[in-house]
Amino acid sequence: AQKVTQAQTEISVVEKEDVTLDCVYETRDTTYYLFWYKQPPSGELVFLIRRNSFDEQNEISGRYSWNFQKSTSSFNFTITASQVVDSAVYFCALSEAWTNAGKSTFGDGTTLTVKP
Amino acid sequence: GAGVSQSPSNKVTEKGKDVELRCDPISGHTALYWYRQSLGQGLEFLIYFQGNSAPDKSGLPSDRFSAERTGGSVSTLTIQRTQQEDSAVYLCASSLTGSRDTQYFGPGTRLTVL
């Protein structure tokens, strides 16, 4: 079954701290896609990153970095030197290529609060 | 270019009434998705369309919910005989060809059933 677990419901940090948001997924497909989305207080979900199951290279984009490890079925997201504007709900999502093609499963989200 | 748009942005209705929620996807996107997000909760998958067809309707909560898509573009989610538990934000997203692609989300319709 397709499943995404974001164990951290809420995280609170002080500005400039580094923070890692965990995402663990379950799938039987060998081909699948992983995503992270950000939902700021304004409400609209914004795409952050997409990864396919064959690309385990970690990625860095400015203060954001992602660590994809198939061995532990994890796709963790790290924000370096957090800022108040990073405060949002972050969702990890999984799409399978075959078994549930077309359906995306989202985790319950992690609410990140960055305090000045 | 234009993103995904949804209307209305807010809808207040009385229990038992029918409501229609509209989604205009990004032009050229063949896949369209509907999700429901209750207060402080994650995204609950409702249905997706590939063109005008809905291969997977398994997420619709009950037979009071239905959706259609016409011309491979606009989609309407209809909730009949609304109940208070239907109160939520209904999100629409579209992607270029399918769920392997990035989904672009609309601003949502906040539905309140009194």
Side-chain angles (χ1 to χ4, degrees):
Chain A
Q2 181 173 267
K3 185 177 180 181
V4 175
T5 302
Q6 294 181 253
Q8 305 147 308
T9 304
E10 296 183 9
I11 300 176
S12 181
V13 299
V14 177
E15 209 169 18
K16 299 185 182 177
E17 285 185 24
D18 298 348
V19 58
T20 295
L21 310 181
D22 297 334
C23 173
V24 175
Y25 61 91
E26 293 179 28
T27 177
R28 294 179 182 174
D29 280 21
T30 56
T31 302
Y32 52 89
Y33 306 87
L34 296 163
F35 305 83
W36 275 95
Y37 292 87
K38 174 182 180 180
Q39 188 174 37
S42 61
E44 195 157 336
L45 276 97
V46 175
F47 164 77
L48 294 177
I49 191 170
R50 170 186 181 273
R51 259 290 176 265
N52 72 57
S53 52
F54 299 108
D55 183 3
E56 282 194 78
Q57 281 192 359
N58 292 327
E59 181 159 337
I60 298 175
S61 176
R63 295 183 297 105
Y64 295 171
S65 62
W66 290 269
N67 183 359
F68 176 28
Q69 292 196 339
K70 289 177 74 171
S71 60
T72 55
S73 297
S74 65
F75 186 42
N76 297 337
F77 172 33
T78 297
I79 302 174
T80 302
S82 59
Q83 300 177 1
V84 173
V85 294
D86 296 327
S87 297
V89 182
Y90 292 86
F91 291 96
C92 180
L94 165 70
S95 295
E96 294 174 333
W98 305 113
T99 306
N100 291 295
K103 177 180 179 179
S104 293
T105 297
F106 282 72
D108 289 337
T110 296
T111 300
L112 173 65
T113 302
V114 181
K115 299 178 180 177
Chain B
V4 177
S5 61
Q6 293 185 246
S7 61
S9 54
N10 279 286
K11 177 72 176 179
V12 180
T13 190
E14 293 179 349
K15 178 182 173 181
K17 300 283 189 182
D18 298 352
V19 296
E20 283 190 354
L21 312 180
R22 177 187 169 108
C23 172
D24 282 90
I26 293 173
S27 178
H29 281 193
T30 63
L32 185 147
Y33 311 81
W34 283 99
Y35 296 90
R36 179 168 70 175
Q37 186 175 29
S38 301
L39 186 62
Q41 302 296 311
L43 275 68
E44 176 188 3
F45 169 82
L46 298 179
I47 190 171
Y48 94 98
F49 289 89
Q50 188 61 252
N52 292 332
S53 300
D56 186 352
K57 301 180 180 179
S58 63
L60 294 176
S62 74
D63 58 8
R64 295 186 296 105
F65 287 72
S66 63
E68 66 174 11
R69 189 180 185 193
T70 56
S73 181
V74 173
S75 176
T76 303
L77 176 69
T78 301
I79 309 173
Q80 296 179 311
R81 306 181 302 281
T82 51
Q83 304 293 314
Q84 288 184 333
E85 60 262 29
D86 299 333
S87 296
V89 175
Y90 290 81
L91 295 169
C92 175
S94 70
S95 67
L96 189 59
T97 63
S99 63
R100 65 185 61 189
D101 300 317
T102 298
Q103 294 181 38
Y104 295 90
F105 284 81
T109 293
R110 182 175 298 278
L111 175 66
T112 303
V113 182
L114 301 176

